[in-house]
Amino acid sequence: KLLLEIWRQNYFLFLSGGLRYQKLDSADCFNSKRSPSSEMALLRSIQCMSMKTSSLSGRIPALCRRQHASLAKQVVQATRYASRPAMSSTLKTCLGSLRQTTTQQASSGGAANPSRTDRIIGKWMLGCAGMVVGAVVLGGVTRLTESGLSMTNWHLLRGMKPPITQEEWEAEFNRYKQFPEFDAVHHDFQLSDFKKIFYMEYFHRMWGRAIGLAFAGPAAFFAYKGWLNRGMKIRVGIFGSLILFQGLLGWFMVKSGLEQPKQATDIPRVSQYRLASHLGSAILLYILMLSSGMKVLLPQAQTGSSPPAGLARLRGLVHCVKGLTFVTALSGAFVAGLDAGLVYNSFPKMADRWVPEEVLAIKPRWKNFFENPATVQFDHRILGSTTATSAIAAWALSKSVILPRQARLAANLMALMAIGQASLGISTLLMHVPVSLAAAHQSGSLVLLSIVYWLSLELKRLAK
């Protein structure tokens, strides 16, 4: 009776998940003279519940997410009645199968294949992650074209409306002339030139606002519908906080470039520390969103055998590549912030030396790694070369490990992207940092990081 009541109360829930039932009458199924037909009808419904659990991302976890927190416990308790002598053997087998399936999936946190709602949430996460990549690319182009300081104020709502009339444009241009970048860099600009850099920064800011809307709107809808479990609610809260933090940190970074330089000969630019923090938090947000989306969309690994030989060592090396890729990307932020890519435009040597003379010119010495353009470029070269070498070494090691098709594809793409990213970096350096190549190089770091993370996730699933 408990099973029937649970099933009857959630009839429309099962229906929305793609299952089709005929309602059973309680008196017909559980009277003292239960008919074989009614028992078979109940049996078919329970079989559907058991068979469809995988394709619906675990009926029990899904029901818990839909405000049926006690249902999993009730079903498991109800299946204990399978030991009653009066119950038919077929029904006992079916209930036992249902109990085993729900217990396994409750412990694994999901099922072999995601449900429809999980697919929607996963694709939403990946879409937001893709928009973060767009923000990083736009931010890189904004920095390369020296457009980031063209908007000298920040308002969450009023900043969404650009100048329209000639008077508004003149007022905005006159405001820009009051800050040091105009005299030091763009002193020969006309209004038409100013409009170009203004729109570049404007589109970057509007893209950030679009990310916030694309995230907040669906998040509120999913929470209202009860589609978010407890873990996803926590992650959504963290992601929303990071998006808001990104906007505030971006303006905090811009403010550093609007201040008067300490020395009259210095070129006004944003703080490289704040730029690296802005980029680093954006990459962190992207990886977290990518992780959440991929974990929801990728089916659970169903392996009954032990992990292949050499898998642990390969996983360790791939984790090293992942960390090196992230650190190298942060190092690139310091290169961009100090215009260090324009200091030495030769490779592999820096001019005629392997190590530049001024590598430790600043006192105290630790500041050279963050404020000396020659040292920052040297560090970026070393980190980039180490990352590419480690990625190729991980690919070579993967050849000796038995991997499934997707993991093998990820390993091959990692090696190809590592070589391509290193080639982009060298070309950008030798051609004196053209905007197109530099933007492609920055985007390539995210592509490489995504592939390495994908590979690490495939290896993690394989190790279970």
Side-chain angles (χ1 to χ4, degrees):
K1 290 183 179 180
L2 179 59
L3 264 180
L4 179 62
E5 181 64 21
I6 294 169
W7 170 81
R8 187 177 62 81
Q9 289 178 359
N10 297 278
Y11 168 80
F12 293 105
L13 179 60
F14 290 133
L15 189 65
S16 65
L19 305 182
R20 298 296 183 267
Y21 298 104
Q22 289 183 343
K23 280 192 174 182
L24 302 181
D25 183 74
S26 177
D28 179 49
C29 287
F30 288 97
N31 54 18
S32 57
K33 298 180 180 180
R34 184 174 53 193
S35 63
S37 60
S38 62
E39 179 176 312
M40 289 306 299
L42 177 60
L43 176 60
R44 283 196 298 270
S45 66
I46 296 174
Q47 286 174 333
C48 287
M49 289 170 62
S50 180
M51 290 186 296
K52 289 294 185 178
T53 301
S54 296
S55 63
L56 295 177
S57 184
R59 177 53 54 196
I60 302 310
L63 291 176
C64 291
R65 288 195 294 271
R66 294 176 178 86
Q67 301 175 351
H68 290 263
S70 63
L71 182 58
K73 183 178 179 180
Q74 290 177 345
V75 170
V76 173
Q77 288 177 346
T79 57
R80 293 174 183 171
Y81 288 100
S83 59
R84 293 173 60 179
M87 188 170 292
S88 66
S89 58
T90 307
L91 188 56
K92 287 170 58 178
T93 303
C94 183
L95 286 174
S97 175
L98 175 61
R99 181 182 183 183
Q100 181 181 6
T101 304
T102 54
T103 304
Q104 289 176 350
Q105 293 181 358
S107 62
S108 65
N113 297 303
S115 68
R116 175 178 173 272
T117 56
D118 286 337
R119 287 196 300 271
I120 293 174
I121 293 173
K123 291 176 181 178
W124 166 60
M125 280 290 176
L126 293 184
C128 291
M131 293 186 71
V132 174
V133 173
V136 172
V137 175
L138 281 175
V141 175
T142 300
R143 177 68 189 90
L144 290 166
T145 56
E146 297 179 334
S147 306
L149 302 178
S150 57
M151 295 181 69
T152 56
N153 50 30
W154 188 86
H155 298 285
L156 181 60
L157 298 178
R158 283 189 295 167
M160 297 178 68
K161 178 181 177 298
I164 298 177
T165 65
Q166 183 69 18
E167 291 77 12
E168 290 176 340
W169 275 113
E170 290 288 350
E172 192 70 37
F173 189 30
N174 291 331
R175 187 183 299 112
Y176 174 69
K177 291 178 181 180
Q178 299 173 10
F179 292 90
E181 187 186 57
F182 176 77
D183 295 326
V185 181
H186 296 151
H187 55 85
D188 58 342
F189 262 30
Q190 302 299 318
L191 182 58
S192 58
D193 302 313
F194 172 72
K195 287 183 179 180
K196 294 178 182 178
I197 63 172
F198 181 91
Y199 274 127
M200 181 60 67
E201 172 66 8
Y202 175 76
F203 285 134
H204 179 51
R205 295 192 185 187
M206 291 304 297
W207 190 263
R209 288 175 170 85
I211 294 174
L213 292 175
F215 179 83
F221 175 77
F222 296 152
Y224 172 76
K225 298 289 287 185
W227 291 2
L228 304 177
N229 58 23
R230 184 174 180 273
M232 184 59 73
K233 286 180 180 178
I234 294 175
R235 288 193 291 271
V236 166
I238 293 174
F239 299 159
S241 301
L242 278 174
I243 292 173
L244 179 60
F245 175 73
Q246 269 293 96
L248 298 175
L249 183 58
W251 173 241
F252 182 62
M253 177 189 68
V254 169
K255 282 187 64 177
S256 66
L258 299 176
E259 300 170 354
Q260 191 68 35
K262 295 180 179 179
Q263 299 181 9
T265 56
D266 290 343
I267 298 176
R269 56 166 64 97
V270 299
S271 166
Q272 68 271 24
Y273 296 102
R274 300 183 191 184
L275 177 61
S277 301
H278 192 46
L279 176 63
S281 58
I283 295 176
L284 177 63
L285 175 62
Y286 166 69
I287 289 298
L288 290 176
M289 287 183 166
L290 179 69
S291 171
S292 296
M294 293 183 71
K295 286 180 179 178
V296 169
L297 291 176
L298 288 178
Q300 287 285 340
Q302 302 292 335
T303 57
S305 58
S306 59
L311 180 63
R313 186 170 55 171
L314 176 60
R315 287 187 65 195
L317 185 54
V318 169
H319 284 311
C320 290
V321 176
K322 186 165 53 176
L324 281 170
T325 305
F326 179 74
V327 174
T328 305
L330 287 185
S331 171
F334 284 93
V335 173
L338 295 171
D339 289 330
L342 301 173
V343 178
Y344 289 97
N345 297 102
S346 58
F347 191 86
K349 291 185 176 182
M350 301 178 72
D352 58 344
R353 299 174 63 91
W354 289 104
V355 180
E357 282 185 305
E358 66 273 31
V359 69
L360 295 176
I362 299 177
K363 305 294 182 181
R365 290 185 175 180
W366 65 268
K367 284 191 174 183
N368 288 279
F369 297 97
F370 307 102
E371 299 179 9
N372 187 336
T375 309
V376 168
Q377 188 193 122
F378 177 74
D379 292 343
H380 193 61
R381 290 181 181 220
I382 298 300
L383 285 170
S385 302
T386 305
T387 302
T389 304
S390 301
I392 295 173
W395 169 79
L397 180 60
S398 72
K399 304 296 286 184
S400 62
V401 180
I402 301 176
L403 298 176
R405 182 178 60 86
Q406 286 187 329
R408 180 68 62 195
L409 175 62
N412 293 338
L413 289 176
M414 177 186 66
L416 290 175
M417 191 61 216
I419 296 173
Q421 177 68 353
S423 302
L424 274 175
I426 296 171
S427 302
T428 302
L429 184 70
L430 296 178
M431 299 179 68
H432 298 266
V433 196
V435 174
S436 57
L437 276 179
H441 184 53
Q442 183 179 22
S443 306
S445 64
L446 288 180
V447 175
L448 177 59
L449 186 59
S450 305
I451 295 173
V452 176
Y453 178 78
W454 174 31
L455 176 59
S456 67
L457 187 60
E458 291 290 344
L459 296 180
K460 180 180 178 180
R461 295 169 62 243
L462 187 62
K464 289 185 178 181

